[in-house]
Amino acid sequence: MIKHPAEPFRIKSVEPIHLISHEERKKAIQAAGYNIFLLKAEDVYIDFLTDSGTGAMSQAQWGAIMEGDESYAGARSFFQMKEAMDEIFGFEYFVPTHQGRAAENILASLLVKPGNYIPSNMHFDTTEGNIRARGGRPTNLVIDDAFDPANRNPFKGNMDLKKLKDFIEKTGAENIPFGTITITNNAGGGQPVSLQNIREVSALYHSYNIPFFIDSCRYAENSWFIKQREPGYSHKTPLEIAREIYSYADGAWMSAKKDALVNIGGFLAVRSAELYQKICNELILREGFPTYGGLAGRDLAALAVGLREGLQEDYLAYRIAQTSYVGESLLAAGIPIVEPPGGHAIYIDAGRLLPHIPQHEFPGIALSNAMYRAGGIRACEIGSVMFAYTDPDSGKMIHPKLELVRMAIPRRMYTQSHFDYVLDVLKEIRESKDQLRGFKITYQAPLMRHFTARFEPL
Ligand SMILES: *Cc1c(COP(=O)(O)O)cnc(C)c1O
């Protein structure tokens, strides 16, 4: 039996969830066109669609919400957030934003000109979208190990420094308004980046006078992985590690819906006074005054508390071990996943689990449907529905390397017995997996088809 620490909290307020009958689940998924995005959340028993904004807040956060200061300018809640920001990140300036993508939009609108390149280990899709919307070209330069699902590199999110140097030489530093890195690497399975890599990436960018920004959504989980895995850091606190990470950066942005343990919020932080002034002007135009940035005072108050709670050692130990428990238990049961387990999600390798279903019949959709039908579990395909495209030259369909199903794990929400239930359902599916059939698409939108596509079983 794979052990992990028990939850470092007890439950004070409960939200009932209900497993509707097998018959009702069959009807619900059929009515949704076999697309789990189109299900009603109430028809889902265990929801792994995303870890973004879905976590549970603490009593301290709910208490802070009651004390939120709704003053338009200079609210007390803003200064509480500022105190946490100064303590953890240490940037000279920051503004709150309503989500991570609002910060990305402001940064891209101010810095990205058509034809510019923005390197990263891997860009998240909203980052990529905001850079492209300004005519920029996001480029992914993660190490090759990231693409091998069985490779157990402890820092599989690292930037490939040689690729980065060659890339800067080739494109010219003058065409790179800023460089970035995503911690943990969400698009690459929630895999961490080492402090050594962050230090070297920073030095490389700076040697070309390129400002270095960190996409920080899961910075606390990344700090915990550094403490566990990187020589020289086991005696440091996650806070000390985070402070070192940000000492190498010129700026950062974050979706607080992840490691700041709130349901809405984010920030953009910088060292440059001149850039901060421009950010404020943009923020006032689109989001709100610089001391609230599109959030309510109570949101800022909960964020200030959540930033600190997200770095607590017993919370991080439980959080990362919980994800690992799910992943290692699946492996032990003969269900292939992307290894090693990441911070916020487990990716089941549906392509390897269901080799009898070809890529054009969507093994990930077959598995996500089976999970819903068998147990009311919602998990998202990350495979051909999301990423396959028709090559404009050959007219051929190009499929992604892997057909995955992602189980993103909300923070502090589900307990050990929920996960044991999920593991039982997946073992049951494995027993009869050869009977699962593929799907065909009956409707698709021209872009981002995974959200609204409809399917039929073959
Ligand atoms: C969630 C996320 C974002 C975008 O944040 P939103 O709050 O959803 O707008 C950006 N980057 C990464 C790595 C993310 O995980």
Side-chain angles (χ1 to χ4, degrees):
M1 167 129 183
I2 295 151
K3 285 202 184 291
H4 74 91
E7 290 76 9
F9 51 82
R10 54 186 181 181
I11 296 165
K12 179 174 284 190
S13 175
V14 296
E15 178 180 8
I17 51 174
H18 181 60
L19 179 62
I20 58 174
S21 72
H22 194 255
E23 214 30 59
E24 288 169 311
R25 297 201 292 277
K26 267 171 66 182
K27 275 197 199 130
I29 193 72
Q30 188 182 5
Y34 303 95
N35 183 345
I36 52 100
F37 279 103
L38 304 179
L39 287 168
K40 281 189 198 154
E42 287 214 307
D43 291 340
V44 175
Y45 181 48
I46 306 283
D47 202 344
F48 291 141
L49 191 55
T50 176
D51 66 317
S52 178
T54 51
M57 289 207 294
S58 66
Q59 59 180 3
Q61 287 178 290
W62 284 110
I65 277 198
M66 285 306 294
E67 293 181 5
D69 177 357
E70 303 303 340
S71 303
Y72 190 93
R76 178 179 65 242
S77 305
F78 170 79
F79 290 102
Q80 286 161 352
M81 178 173 170
K82 180 168 170 21
E83 207 175 288
M85 293 289 303
D86 291 350
E87 188 183 323
I88 300 167
F89 302 100
F91 290 106
E92 281 75 359
Y93 307 98
F94 83 97
V95 293
T97 59
H98 76 274
Q99 291 201 203
R101 71 195 68 184
E104 291 167 348
N105 174 37
I106 292 170
L107 196 63
S109 74
L110 292 174
L111 297 183
V112 179
K113 304 276 173 293
N116 281 171
Y117 290 86
I118 315 292
S120 182
N121 50 349
M122 283 179 92
H123 292 275
F124 181 63
D125 56 9
T126 59
T127 322
E128 197 166 312
N130 273 297
I131 292 168
R132 285 197 199 285
R134 305 287 165 179
R137 300 171 205 182
T139 307
N140 295 334
L141 301 169
V142 71
I143 54 172
D144 288 337
D145 286 358
F147 301 108
D148 172 5
N151 185 308
R152 285 223 162 211
N153 186 328
F155 291 105
K156 227 173 158 177
N158 277 359
M159 183 88 83
D160 188 318
L161 289 153
K162 178 164 183 337
K163 282 190 208 165
L164 180 60
K165 188 165 173 39
D166 293 349
F167 180 79
I168 298 173
E169 286 290 332
K170 201 175 79 203
T171 50
E174 67 281 9
N175 296 313
I176 303 177
F178 68 97
T180 179
I181 200 164
T182 311
I183 60 171
T184 59
N185 183 13
N186 183 7
Q191 299 291 338
V193 178
S194 71
L195 239 168
Q196 183 182 338
N197 193 249
I198 291 169
R199 206 181 295 123
E200 290 172 353
V201 165
S202 166
L204 189 59
Y205 281 136
H206 288 156
S207 71
Y208 290 92
N209 283 323
I210 298 169
F212 173 38
F213 280 75
I214 301 180
D215 181 348
S216 308
C217 298
R218 298 176 185 81
Y219 81 99
E221 291 172 5
N222 202 100
S223 299
W224 183 255
F225 280 118
I226 288 171
K227 182 176 168 67
Q228 299 300 302
R229 296 180 181 176
E230 188 158 349
Y233 287 95
S234 60
H235 63 287
K236 300 223 161 152
T237 64
L239 174 63
E240 287 167 333
I241 294 171
R243 291 181 64 97
E244 184 179 340
I245 292 174
Y246 288 95
S247 72
Y248 301 120
D250 303 294
W253 74 92
M254 177 174 182
S255 167
K257 300 170 73 171
K258 284 80 173 228
D259 275 358
L261 298 167
V262 286
N263 304 118
I264 196 77
F267 67 75
L268 174 57
V270 293
R271 297 204 188 283
S272 153
E274 192 195 343
L275 183 55
Y276 170 67
Q277 202 50 59
K278 289 184 189 158
I279 289 169
C280 287
N281 298 343
E282 196 68 19
L283 190 82
I284 288 168
L285 194 60
R286 299 173 200 286
E287 299 273 322
F289 192 73
T291 61
Y292 75 87
L295 294 170
R298 54 181 168 270
D299 298 327
L300 303 173
L303 213 168
V305 178
L307 276 172
R308 291 203 172 91
E309 288 183 356
L311 282 169
Q312 281 169 6
E313 296 206 19
D314 58 353
Y315 158 72
L316 284 168
Y318 136 83
R319 162 82 177 155
I320 299 302
Q322 185 180 57
T323 308
S324 159
Y325 170 73
V326 177
E328 301 295 353
S329 303
L330 288 173
L331 278 175
I335 297 171
I337 63 163
V338 175
E339 296 175 57
H344 69 291
I346 293 297
Y347 295 70
I348 302 178
D349 192 336
R352 266 197 291 164
L353 182 70
L354 307 171
H356 61 288
I357 302 179
Q359 284 192 285
H360 66 269
E361 293 179 5
F362 310 121
I365 297 297
L367 180 60
S368 71
N369 267 268
M371 289 169 73
Y372 180 70
R373 251 183 300 123
I377 300 161
R378 175 152 71 173
C380 169
E381 189 251 23
I382 302 206
S384 280
V385 176
M386 205 177 265
F387 293 125
Y389 65 97
T390 311
D391 181 51
D393 296 328
S394 66
K396 267 200 183 148
M397 188 60 88
I398 311 289
H399 291 278
K401 272 199 188 138
L402 300 174
E403 298 291 339
L404 305 173
V405 170
R406 181 180 86 163
M407 298 197 292
I409 301 180
R411 293 171 180 76
R412 303 192 291 205
M413 192 153 88
Y414 294 120
T415 64
Q416 162 98 23
S417 42
H418 290 119
F419 287 106
D420 286 334
Y421 165 83
V422 170
L423 293 168
D424 285 345
V425 170
L426 278 160
K427 286 178 203 165
E428 204 180 292
I429 291 172
R430 182 205 55 198
E431 290 312 311
S432 53
K433 72 187 183 71
D434 297 337
Q435 283 149 38
L436 293 183
R437 292 286 161 263
F439 283 78
K440 68 170 187 203
I441 293 185
T442 57
Y443 164 75
Q444 57 180 317
L447 281 175
M448 310 282 267
R449 64 178 180 174
H450 53 285
F451 289 120
T452 54
R454 301 183 76 85
F455 303 89
E456 250 171 39
L458 289 165

